[in-house]
Amino acid sequence: MIVLKGSVEATGARPIFPRVEQKRFWMPTPLVIFVPGIMGSILRYTGPGEGGALVEQDVWGTDPGVIIDTLARWPNRLRSPNLRATKVLSRIKGKVWGKSVDMTFYGPLLEFCVEKTEKGGLGLDRETEFVAFAYDWRLDNRETAKRLAIRIEQADPQHLRPIGLIAHSMGGLVSRLMLLDQPTISSRTRFFVQIASPILGAAKAFYSLREGPCLSPLADFLVKLKQHKDLQVRADLMSVLREFPSMYQLLPPDGVPVLFTSTGKLLPAMAVEAWPGNDQVHLEAAREMHQALEKPLPVPINCVYANDHETPWCYKVDSEFRVVASLKAEVGDGTVTSASAFEGSEVARRCCLTGENTAHDELPCNPEVEKILRPLVEGLRA
């Protein structure tokens, strides 16, 4: 060994400043997941086209013309097993019958999450720290909850990262089911922001299953107008909707009566007499899901909802359970009542938004939601 003159090795002297082993503190990066509501993910078809050639195209996406055509002309496309969810729906923009349509969905919230902090965003890295969880919203929510857990495990295989969950509408049901079934994930979840989720269901789901989807006045008008000359397409659409387990899981549970019959009875939406035999399998799955959601959640819920809009809470039905009229009250966001939205949450953690941008589909992009999220995400980094 070569020894330098004057070195510790050469003189045998002890160093004046003993070496101190430095400890390195490593903080895992946060993981924030956004779970959208029903119809909030793009569905893409990959398979044989009309001529037999392989095609890849959206059947539910950002183009309003595609959405209208799927519902009004080719609803059977939604039956295909070859559909897969690709992205969370950020906005719907395009033209329908020469008229421009520009509807904001989750775009502003998604952008806020990944925008740099110096520009006012949360600064989450879109590749490593933020997941916009797109899913096949036709499926049983319990199956989607399992897929959400798998996606989280992929992003955090070592089970070390602090997790934050943001969910809108049906996404809140999916998130709750996942947290109840996955203790290794719930133990790492530091916050759960639940926005306008129908924990006690939404009466509007009954209308959609019996009368047709409720998207917007313009979209609903165009769908019915295009189907006016082809009643078979309308029948196909209603048949397709009643094949989606998720639709039934949005119905209010048996303990919440929402149907006022022609004989004066008040019945729950899932009353046996309201549905033919083929629906009973989906109704039983919905009951099982409701029972699971009755369990206390192991994670505190920051509940966001609104109370400014007339919201259907009961429907008058005829002898065949067709909707005759709706009864509304200003106790919700136009789709979900406040009682359904804040079920199971602590009073101190409830945030009722008022004013503009408080309709059901607008709530995720309300500026107040950003104020709620900022300190929670900062807490993940602390």
Side-chain angles (χ1 to χ4, degrees):
M1 178 177 73
I2 300 176
V3 179
L4 298 178
K5 185 177 180 180
S7 68
V8 172
E9 290 80 3
T11 62
R14 298 178 64 186
I16 298 175
F17 300 105
R19 180 181 297 174
V20 178
E21 183 179 351
Q22 294 182 348
K23 294 183 179 180
R24 295 182 179 181
F25 294 94
W26 175 79
M27 292 296 293
T29 57
L31 176 62
V32 177
I33 301 100
F34 173 68
V35 187
I38 192 169
M39 299 183 179
S41 301
I42 297 172
L43 297 183
R44 175 163 292 184
Y45 170 80
T46 303
E50 294 181 0
L54 183 68
V55 298
E56 185 171 358
Q57 60 189 27
D58 291 343
V59 301
W60 193 270
T62 60
D63 188 333
V66 169
I67 292 176
I68 297 299
D69 281 346
T70 294
L71 296 175
R73 300 175 62 187
W74 301 297
N76 287 318
R77 287 180 173 179
L78 288 171
R79 275 196 172 104
S80 173
N82 295 326
L83 296 185
R84 60 185 176 90
T86 58
K87 295 181 180 179
V88 170
L89 190 58
S90 59
R91 71 188 305 176
I92 294 177
K93 185 176 182 179
K95 290 188 175 182
V96 179
W97 286 9
K99 294 184 177 180
S100 296
V101 176
D102 191 351
M103 301 172 64
T104 299
F105 273 77
Y106 297 120
L109 175 60
L110 300 179
E111 188 58 32
F112 169 72
C113 288
V114 300
E115 192 173 45
K116 300 295 184 182
T117 53
E118 56 266 29
K119 293 184 178 180
L122 295 177
L124 294 167
D125 185 88
R126 67 176 70 240
E127 299 297 330
T128 61
E129 297 181 329
F130 182 68
V131 173
F133 179 68
Y135 63 92
D136 188 341
W137 37 263
R138 303 172 301 167
L139 303 179
D140 188 313
N141 285 313
R142 295 171 297 178
E143 173 61 28
T144 302
K146 294 177 182 177
R147 298 186 181 194
L148 174 59
I150 291 172
R151 182 64 185 89
I152 292 174
E153 291 294 297
Q154 291 172 342
D156 183 23
Q158 296 182 329
H159 300 175
L160 294 174
R161 304 177 66 179
I163 296 171
L165 272 174
I166 311 166
H168 174 240
S169 195
M170 193 173 77
L173 306 184
V174 172
S175 298
R176 283 200 183 201
L177 291 168
M178 187 272 297
L179 290 170
L180 287 167
D181 192 51
Q182 301 290 333
T184 59
I185 294 177
S186 62
S187 65
R188 307 196 306 278
T189 301
R190 301 293 180 262
F191 71 77
F192 173 34
V193 177
Q194 175 186 285
I195 307 169
S197 292
I199 306 305
L200 293 179
K204 217 170 185 179
F206 179 86
Y207 185 94
S208 296
L209 284 166
R210 299 307 294 255
E211 305 297 333
C214 301
L215 301 178
S216 70
L218 175 60
D220 296 344
F221 170 76
L222 291 174
V223 169
K224 291 180 179 179
L225 183 64
K226 286 194 173 189
Q227 292 177 341
H228 179 68
K229 295 181 181 180
D230 194 339
L231 297 181
Q232 183 57 50
V233 174
R234 183 70 180 177
D236 289 343
L237 173 61
M238 298 310 302
S239 176
V240 168
L241 292 177
R242 288 167 71 164
E243 292 178 7
F244 301 165
S246 59
M247 290 289 292
Y248 295 83
Q249 292 170 346
L250 293 176
L251 292 170
D254 286 328
V256 183
V258 297
L259 303 179
F260 189 70
T261 71
S262 56
T263 59
K265 290 183 178 180
L266 196 58
L267 297 175
M270 295 194 292
V272 175
E273 54 264 50
W275 303 94
N278 292 340
D279 297 276
Q280 294 305 315
V281 173
H282 292 324
L283 291 172
E284 187 56 36
R287 291 188 180 96
E288 292 174 359
M289 188 205 73
H290 286 309
Q291 290 175 1
L293 291 176
E294 291 176 358
K295 300 175 183 177
L297 205 65
V299 177
I301 305 166
N302 294 83
C303 181
V304 179
Y305 64 102
N307 239 359
D308 279 359
H309 303 269
E310 288 189 342
T311 304
W313 68 273
C314 182
Y315 289 104
K316 291 183 178 180
V317 294
D318 61 19
S319 59
E320 296 181 350
F321 288 89
R322 296 294 303 272
V323 174
V324 176
S326 63
L327 302 178
K328 299 180 180 180
E330 291 185 4
V331 291
D333 58 28
T335 297
V336 178
T337 65
S338 55
S340 180
F342 62 58
E343 172 66 16
S345 64
E346 299 176 6
V347 175
R349 290 180 175 271
R350 297 174 187 172
C351 181
C352 181
L353 303 186
T354 59
E356 298 181 356
N357 299 318
T358 53
H360 184 73
D361 291 333
E362 298 170 342
L363 278 168
C365 299
N366 189 295
E368 293 299 315
V369 173
E370 297 181 0
K371 295 179 182 179
I372 293 170
L373 288 174
R374 189 177 298 281
L376 293 174
V377 172
E378 290 174 353
L380 287 186
R381 294 189 170 114

